[in-house]
Amino acid sequence: MVIPQLLKSLEPMGFRRLLRQTTPGYLHLEGALNTRFGAVPCDVYVDRELRSFPNVLLKSPLPPSLLPIAPHVGPSGLLCYVSSSTAVFDIYKPVTQTIAALRRAEEVLDRVMANDLVNDLQEEFYAYWHGACCYTDIESVNSTEIIALVLGEGGENGLAFSDNAERTKAKLGHLFSDISESVGLSAKITTKAPPRPLIDAWPPKTVKALLDWQAALDPNCRRKILKRIAQGYRRGANVYAVVLDTPVGQIGALIHDLQKHPRKKKIDQSMPIFDAPIILAPVARLDDRYIVSRNIPGQETLSGKRILLIGCGTIGGYLADMLVKAGGGCDGGELLLVDNQWLAAGNIGRHRLGVNRLNINKAEGLVEEIKMGMPSSRVIALPVDAYSLDLNGFHLVIDATGEQPFSQWIAGQQALGRMGGQRGKEFTTPLLHVWIEGSGEAVRSHIRKQPVEGCYRCLCDYEAEGHFLSVLGGVDPVLAGGGCEGQYVAYPASVSVQAAALGLDTALAWANQRPWPSLSTRVISREHDSSAGDVTILPKLGCPACAS
């Protein structure tokens, strides 16, 4: 009964059902989208299960304002008017949702024809760039000469493009036993123009079509592509690979049979390359810069920074992993992990490391685990006593030991100027503490970036007087185990992960210079209420660590 109701509701909008239905699973309608530039005929395909937004296909000939390229209009006239990642089709209101969708399609088309970009829609170009997927691992933004790597015997598993072959082989070695450098030539070319398909002339199948496509988008990029392919042709290359670095990502094209019509004489300046066939290659990026920034676009990562993480236990183990995925140890930076203890059987239940690292140093075990996932990251293990460290030369020092005596000691070292500054002056190295309260009732972080803020020892003294407690009434750790030597504070691994997450959030706030209180608290237990919240504490008069 819903479809007849839908058809009746769409009649006033000018949409009617075709007598001959040719697309299984879809109800085919035709009509027009009304814009201020006139009505644009279209076909509408409605999911017969009424579970998704209808597809809108503009009919040929398209209005001149949409040719030869237009945002959100595919090569066959498919109109992208809604983002499936942000909009949800209400399956309980299919009629009103379909009507609203077509109204939205009219609005988007009107704005596109007016050359007004629809900012809440993403460029959907990758949906039109079909072909054999390849990998790119191009770390430097300035790289132009790149290496083509053949994956698998005879290239049966595709290609990878890199500006450092050894680094890329380390990343892909677990997938392909045979990785060799291609004898062909490759180039990375940067364009500032978002890629869009040529309407009614897609996909490009020859060098000429590739150049014509870029001529409509970025004539300067077209010249660069032609220049590089011509260089390859003159060097005798039969295969040439081009990776385009665009504002919305990378795409690749593989050109074959360049030497099918070679020049007969060296003095011949003609280039019979325009009919050479090309293969489109969607790209899966593997470069560290992309991996660490993908989920925090537009923000500063921890790339390029020298970070010292002290304590690789239940908090530090997870935090080290998170720091690397946020850029720690990437792009010329370093992440140093400090711990002189070995992983015991009792640690495994809530540690980042597992039984495969039993009875080895925690810092060294973490480096081995991290290198398995991010082999190009510069992560270094220091299995030494933390009190013996040289604390100078770091952008950020993180204390994840959870040991109050050490945390107070290192707070004093910062105040004394032994972390790159001088006592009473601006610090050059912020100090971040992360710890768990009681038996996991709450997790906290404290960062001191300048002398006007109270230090970790100040906080301890405040807490002794009943101030800045994490939860109302304070916490009392619940000990488990047997005997004085075998007792420990019990809490699940989920608490450790949340402490690590708070530590990462604090570090990223510092990297982005966002306002962030020196003391942050996240209450985990539903049985407790927050006491202090997130505040910036002032130095406590007479503090032996930071006040003279």
Side-chain angles (χ1 to χ4, degrees), residues 218-233:
D218 183 355
N220 187 47
C221 183
R222 178 200 181 277
R223 288 190 288 271
K224 292 179 187 176
I225 295 173
L226 177 58
K227 179 181 177 180
R228 299 309 293 267
I229 297 175
Q231 288 175 348
Y233 174 76

Side-chain angles (χ1 to χ4, degrees), residues 125-136 138 146 148-149 151 157-161 186-187 195 202-205 210 213 239-246 249-256 277-285:
F125 177 76
Y126 284 105
Y128 312 120
W129 195 264
H130 298 289
C133 185
C134 67
Y135 297 96
T136 62
I138 305 170
I146 56 176
L149 301 176
L151 307 177
N157 299 116
L159 297 172
F161 301 109
S186 311
W202 197 259
K205 296 181 179 179
L210 179 70
W213 166 57
V239 178
Y240 200 94
V242 174
V243 174
L244 286 181
D245 200 349
T246 80
Q250 295 175 346
I251 53 177
L254 194 64
I255 301 154
H256 289 277
I278 69 172
I279 297 175
L280 308 187
V283 164
R285 290 183 62 176

Side-chain angles (χ1 to χ4, degrees), residues 131-384:
C133 185
C134 67
Y135 297 96
T136 62
D137 182 26
I138 305 170
E139 197 64 45
S140 173
V141 295
N142 298 318
S143 294
T144 54
E145 298 291 340
I146 56 176
I147 305 162
L149 301 176
V150 178
L151 307 177
E153 188 175 352
E156 60 185 15
N157 299 116
L159 297 172
F161 301 109
S162 172
D163 56 1
N164 185 313
E166 293 307 311
R167 182 189 65 229
T168 305
K169 288 177 182 178
K171 291 181 178 180
L172 295 174
H174 70 290
L175 287 175
F176 313 107
S177 57
D178 186 2
I179 302 178
S180 57
E181 295 187 22
S182 170
V183 295
L185 297 173
S186 311
K188 188 198 80 171
I189 298 170
T190 301
T191 175
K192 294 182 179 180
R196 292 171 184 141
L198 274 175
I199 297 173
D200 295 333
W202 197 259
K205 296 181 179 179
T206 64
V207 169
K208 181 181 184 304
L210 179 70
L211 296 173
D212 288 345
W213 166 57
Q214 274 300 302
L217 289 168
D218 183 355
N220 187 47
C221 183
R222 178 200 181 277
R223 288 190 288 271
K224 292 179 187 176
I225 295 173
L226 177 58
K227 179 181 177 180
R228 299 309 293 267
I229 297 175
Q231 288 175 348
Y233 174 76
R234 293 190 179 106
R235 294 179 193 174
N238 195 45
V239 178
Y240 200 94
V242 174
V243 174
L244 286 181
D245 200 349
T246 80
V248 298
Q250 295 175 346
I251 53 177
L254 194 64
I255 301 154
H256 289 277
D257 296 335
L258 268 180
Q259 300 299 325
K260 187 174 183 179
H261 303 289
R263 294 176 297 166
K264 295 180 179 179
K265 297 180 180 179
K266 289 186 178 180
I267 60 172
D268 183 4
Q269 295 300 306
S270 65
M271 290 185 298
I273 62 175
F274 297 99
D275 291 330
I278 69 172
I279 297 175
L280 308 187
V283 164
R285 290 183 62 176
L286 289 177
D287 56 285
D288 296 347
R289 185 163 41 88
Y290 171 74
I291 290 172
V292 302
S293 64
R294 182 181 185 274
N295 293 314
I296 47 174
Q299 297 186 44
E300 287 292 325
T301 68
L302 301 178
S303 297
K305 294 178 172 57
R306 196 162 186 259
I307 300 173
L308 179 67
L309 173 62
I310 306 171
C312 298
T314 183
I315 299 174
Y318 294 107
L319 181 54
D321 204 31
M322 294 180 184
L323 290 171
V324 169
K325 290 177 180 177
C330 297
D331 197 18
E334 284 185 333
L335 175 60
L336 280 68
L337 308 182
V338 179
D339 204 305
N340 63 349
Q341 296 182 356
W342 295 52
L343 186 73
N347 300 143
I348 293 172
R350 63 184 185 196
H351 202 281
R352 165 64 177 79
L353 298 177
V355 70
N356 61 323
R357 305 295 178 190
L358 185 63
N359 291 335
I360 70 168
N361 176 264
K362 293 178 181 178
E364 293 176 335
L366 272 174
V367 168
E368 291 176 8
E369 287 285 328
I370 289 171
K371 286 284 190 179
M372 291 174 64
M374 292 283 282
S376 56
S377 60
R378 184 167 173 76
V379 187
I380 302 168
L382 294 178
V384 299

Side-chain angles (χ1 to χ4, degrees), residues 396-463:
L396 178 66
V397 174
I398 304 175
D399 163 32
T401 63
E403 297 176 3
Q404 194 171 100
F406 175 80
S407 299
Q408 293 185 8
W409 174 82
I410 197 171
Q413 297 302 296
Q414 184 198 40
L416 289 169
R418 293 172 182 166
M419 290 171 55
Q422 296 179 4
R423 186 169 190 143
K425 296 186 178 181
E426 291 292 324
F427 304 125
T428 58
T429 305
L431 174 60
L432 167 61
H433 307 270
V434 189
W435 70 98
I436 294 169
E437 290 276 292
S439 297
E441 286 85 357
V443 297
R444 307 190 95 175
S445 74
H446 177 272
I447 185 168
R448 191 182 190 215
K449 297 175 287 187
Q450 49 192 351
V452 296
E453 298 168 334
C455 73
Y456 180 85
R457 172 59 193 245
C458 293
L459 175 62
C460 293
D461 287 344
Y462 279 128
E463 287 182 322

Side-chain angles (χ1 to χ4, degrees), residues 489-511:
V489 180
Y491 48 80
S494 59
V495 176
S496 307
V497 173
Q498 294 188 67
L502 177 58
L504 177 66
D505 290 345
T506 307
L508 286 175
W510 159 76

